[in-house]
C-alpha cells in the first residue's frame, strides 16, 4: 500500500482517498435563519447525507449490506461558510467524511459512521456536542480538512 503522507513529517502529499461508501451529499440554503454567533451571514447552509448500500472490498465485511444514515449538518451562509462547504464537498467525494463501522451512540454494527472531520449537527446549545455557537469551528474544520490534503 502506498502512503500519501511523508514518512518523516507526515505532511499529506496530494489529497487522500478514504473508504467511505458511495452515497449522496446535498445542501440547501435557509435564507431566513442565521446560526447563533454568525449574525453576519445571510442564512444557514444545511447539508444532508447518506443512503444504505452494500460494502465494497475496502470495508470490514465486503458484500454485506450496511445501514445508511440520515445526517444533517449546518454552516453559516457567509464567505467562510461557503468555503467550508466547498471543502467538505471535496472531502465527501474523496470518500473522507464517513466510513463503515460500529456506531458509538447506538452500538449498531455495519453502519455508516462519521470519520474524523467534525460537523456541527445542531443549530444551538454551544460547542459541546457539535452545536453552535462555536467561534472556532470554521477554523478548526479547515485545519482538519487541510491535514487530509483538502485545501
Amino acid at each position: 500500500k502506498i502512503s500519501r503522507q511523508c514518512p518523516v513529517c507526515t505532511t499529506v502529499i496530494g489529497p487522500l482517498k478514504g473508504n467511505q461508501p458511495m452515497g449522496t451529499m446535498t445542501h440547501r440554503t435557509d435564507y431566513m435563519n442565521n446560526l447563533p454567533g454568525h449574525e453576519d451571514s445571510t442564512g444557514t447552509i444545511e447539508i444532508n447525507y447518506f443512503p444504505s448500500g452494500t460494502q465494497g472490498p475496502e470495508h470490514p465485511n465486503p458484500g454485506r449490506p450496511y445501514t445508511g444514515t440520515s445526517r444533517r449538518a449546518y454552516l453559516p451562509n457567509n464567505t467562510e461558510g461557503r468555503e467550508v462547504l466547498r471543502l467538505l464537498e471535496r472531502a465527501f467525494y474523496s470518500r473522507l467524511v464517513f466510513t463503515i463501522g460500529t456506531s458509538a451512540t447506538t452500538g449498531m454494527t455495519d453502519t455508516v459512521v462519521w470519520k474524523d472531520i467534525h460537523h456541527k449537527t445542531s443549530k444551538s446549545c454551544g460547542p459541546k456536542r457539535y452545536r453552535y455557537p462555536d467561534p472556532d469551528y470554521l477554523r478548526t474544520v479547515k485545519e482538519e480538512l487541510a491535514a487530509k490534503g483538502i485545501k
Side-chain angles (χ1 to χ4, degrees):
K1 183 177 176 182
I2 298 172
S3 176
R4 310 252 321 145
Q5 292 181 306
C6 171
V8 176
C9 69
T10 68
T11 299
V12 174
I13 303 164
L16 296 175
K17 280 281 187 199
N19 68 346
Q20 170 183 296
M22 303 313 283
T24 58
M25 174 185 178
T26 61
H27 64 88
R28 71 176 197 85
T29 303
D30 172 359
Y31 291 100
M32 302 302 290
N33 297 294
N34 290 341
L35 293 169
H38 293 280
E39 287 73 21
D40 63 326
S41 69
T42 55
T44 300
I45 300 169
E46 181 181 288
I47 306 168
N48 292 286
Y49 299 101
F50 217 92
S52 298
T54 302
Q55 296 182 51
E58 69 278 22
H59 298 128
N61 297 299
R64 282 184 49 188
Y66 65 85
T67 304
T69 183
S70 177
R71 299 289 173 94
R72 183 171 290 156
Y74 302 96
L75 296 167
N77 185 33
N78 59 21
T79 301
E80 192 173 20
R82 288 186 298 273
E83 174 191 6
V84 169
L85 174 63
R86 286 189 301 278
L87 295 172
L88 287 172
E89 286 176 322
R90 287 185 48 214
F92 183 82
Y93 292 109
S94 293
R95 303 176 67 193
L96 298 170
V97 177
F98 293 95
T99 191
I100 296 174
T102 301
S103 170
T105 55
T106 68
M108 189 173 181
T109 59
D110 294 318
T111 191
V112 174
V113 294
W114 293 109
K115 233 172 166 175
D116 51 4
I117 299 171
H118 289 91
H119 285 64
K120 291 296 182 183
T121 57
S122 180
K123 296 181 190 180
S124 61
C125 298
K128 292 183 182 181
R129 304 203 58 159
Y130 313 109
R131 300 173 178 178
Y132 284 99
D134 182 349
D136 298 322
Y137 172 66
L138 295 174
R139 177 188 50 79
T140 301
V141 74
K142 286 194 288 187
E143 289 171 0
E144 291 171 352
L145 290 160
K148 296 183 177 307
I150 307 290
K151 299 175 186 175

